[in-house]
Amino acid sequence: MRHFISAADVPNLDALVQKALDFKKFPFSQKQIGSNKRIGLLFLNPSMRTRLSTQVAAQNLGMEAIVFNIGSEGWALEFAEDAIMNGTTVEHVKDAAPIMGQYFDILAIRTFPSLKSREDDYSERYIQQFINYCGIPVVSLESATLHPLQSLTDIITMEETIAPWTETRRPKVVLSWAPHVKPLPQCVANSFAQWVNKWGKADFVITHPEGYELDTAFTNGATIEHDQQKALQDADFVYVKNWSSYNDYGKILCSDPAWMLTTASLNVTRKARVMHCLPVRRNVELSSEVLDSPASLVTQQASNRVWAAQAVLHSILEAY
Ligand code: CP
């Protein structure tokens, strides 16, 4: 694997999941592969889990990890191709990225969407420019439209939670929209849909209020259901996430608290396990009662971020 930006970069998902589960058992089994190698972790936006888990994963592989909060501590970057830089931006990505390519062996980047221009955000201009100009492998730590390390973690978490009954029937996975106080990107939802479709082992339903349809480039293959209770019927996994509108780009169209997942909403499921990428707004997206119950997988999910990152970095180092 050269870059890790989307599910399309993964030639064999089952093998990558197995590699992550092997690292979970034996974290230091490949300590030599990253010796004398360095990863740069660039954050244009805040993070807790992605930042720490990727650092731990790199260290488990013997790599040095250097974090640069470029969004708050670096020069303001320019990404427009022929920009006349007489405004607030100080350095063009064409000048900055090749230098980073000299300092590091792998470059990992977090860059959120503006939620102002769909065309701009969905072109993935920021991460693409780093790929174009840095000359080394690039890993997405969440981009404008996708969050692949999170989604790989989610698949790993479902795989290890799946009981023997999956030998007789496919699990039902439901992605359920939830309310939020702020307009959030579609990345986690897009990415989860893309990876569940690639995984191909589940019956997949997405439920959301009217107007929250996601880009079909990611959701094709999923059933869309606007009645949350109908969608949750017989679910084995419920993935809760807010996203802003894709069609009425970046807007909040619904704040109905009835969409918050509660213990009562889970009554129609098959004792579903509940997932969320975190951070979560308690008692807005998900009730505390659910989050604090044995149904919740959120801590296991977040801890699996290390093994997902380690499997990805190992695959890139192997192909170096
Ligand atoms: N889930 C996730 O990406 O968490 P952070 O934003 O804390 O990295």
Side-chain angles (χ1 to χ4, degrees):
M1 191 157 54
R2 172 75 177 164
H3 303 293
F4 183 75
I5 307 300
S6 103
D9 295 314
V10 178
N12 185 336
L13 178 53
D14 283 342
L16 192 62
V17 169
Q18 191 52 53
K19 184 183 279 198
L21 291 172
D22 290 346
F23 279 133
K24 188 166 184 170
K25 278 195 211 129
F26 306 107
F28 309 115
S29 58
Q30 293 286 312
K31 190 90 185 171
Q32 289 309 312
I33 196 167
S35 172
N36 299 324
K37 295 256 187 307
R38 197 173 286 130
I39 182 169
L41 306 176
L42 305 188
F43 287 89
L44 283 101
N45 305 94
S47 166
M48 182 181 90
R49 280 145 290 269
T50 306
R51 172 178 171 154
L52 297 178
S53 62
T54 312
Q55 277 183 282
V56 172
Q59 285 174 11
N60 286 351
L61 294 170
M63 289 189 97
E64 187 184 357
I66 295 182
V67 174
F68 182 20
N69 295 313
I70 189 169
S72 55
E73 296 165 5
W75 299 117
L77 285 180
E78 176 62 56
F79 290 87
E81 187 61 28
D82 294 316
I84 298 168
M85 291 174 55
N86 58 0
T88 53
T89 55
V90 178
E91 183 161 30
H92 203 285
V93 67
K94 276 187 187 181
D95 301 312
I99 297 165
M100 292 177 191
Q102 299 291 312
Y103 294 161
F104 301 116
D105 301 284
I106 299 176
L107 199 56
I109 301 156
R110 165 166 284 201
T111 164
F112 286 171
S114 66
L115 293 181
K116 290 185 181 119
S117 160
R118 186 170 90 178
E119 193 186 1
D120 220 30
D121 290 343
Y122 274 68
S123 74
E124 289 286 15
R125 187 158 58 125
Y126 286 19
I127 206 151
Q128 278 305 328
Q129 298 264 47
F130 274 104
I131 290 173
N132 292 347
Y133 298 120
C134 76
I136 56 174
V138 172
V139 172
S140 168
L141 300 173
E142 187 168 349
S143 68
T145 64
L146 294 169
H147 194 354
L149 282 174
Q150 179 66 53
S151 307
L152 173 57
T153 303
D154 300 335
I155 300 294
I156 292 164
T157 306
M158 289 192 287
E159 280 269 2
E160 69 179 357
T161 309
I162 278 172
W165 45 255
T166 50
E167 286 162 20
T168 51
R169 66 174 180 84
R170 285 159 66 84
K172 180 176 177 182
V173 174
V174 179
L175 169 62
S176 184
W177 181 91
H180 202 283
V181 293
K182 284 170 59 180
L184 297 189
Q186 296 97 34
C187 322
V188 170
N190 283 343
S191 199
F192 185 72
Q194 185 192 48
W195 284 73
V196 171
N197 281 330
K198 184 176 178 100
W199 188 42
K201 295 185 183 173
D203 293 335
F204 183 34
V205 178
I206 304 175
T207 183
H208 55 71
E210 302 262 1
Y212 279 93
E213 291 71 20
L214 293 162
D215 185 347
T216 52
F218 306 115
T219 60
N220 261 341
T223 302
I224 312 299
E225 171 57 64
H226 296 302
D227 180 335
Q228 190 194 43
Q229 275 296 285
K230 210 166 149 190
L232 292 174
Q233 190 75 45
D234 296 330
D236 296 293
F237 294 97
V238 184
Y239 199 102
V240 179
K241 186 70 186 89
N242 168 269
W243 63 89
S244 58
S245 175
Y246 170 73
N247 288 325
D248 195 356
Y249 193 63
K251 298 279 186 336
I252 294 178
L253 307 179
C254 172
S255 302
D256 183 354
W259 277 88
M260 177 176 81
L261 198 84
T262 63
T263 308
S265 23
L266 288 173
N267 281 342
V268 295
T269 69
R270 290 188 200 238
K271 294 192 167 74
R273 308 303 300 274
V274 177
M275 303 172 75
H276 189 289
C277 63
L278 304 182
V280 63
R281 295 272 183 155
R282 279 176 174 253
N283 301 312
V284 176
E285 294 176 84
L286 250 165
S287 73
S288 278
E289 197 185 2
V290 173
L291 278 164
D292 297 335
S293 78
S296 172
L297 287 175
V298 298
T299 305
Q300 181 182 333
Q301 229 181 314
S303 72
N304 282 337
R305 293 292 306 267
V306 171
W307 319 118
Q310 197 165 332
V312 167
L313 296 182
H314 184 271
S315 299
I316 290 173
L317 289 170
E318 256 184 338
Y320 218 84

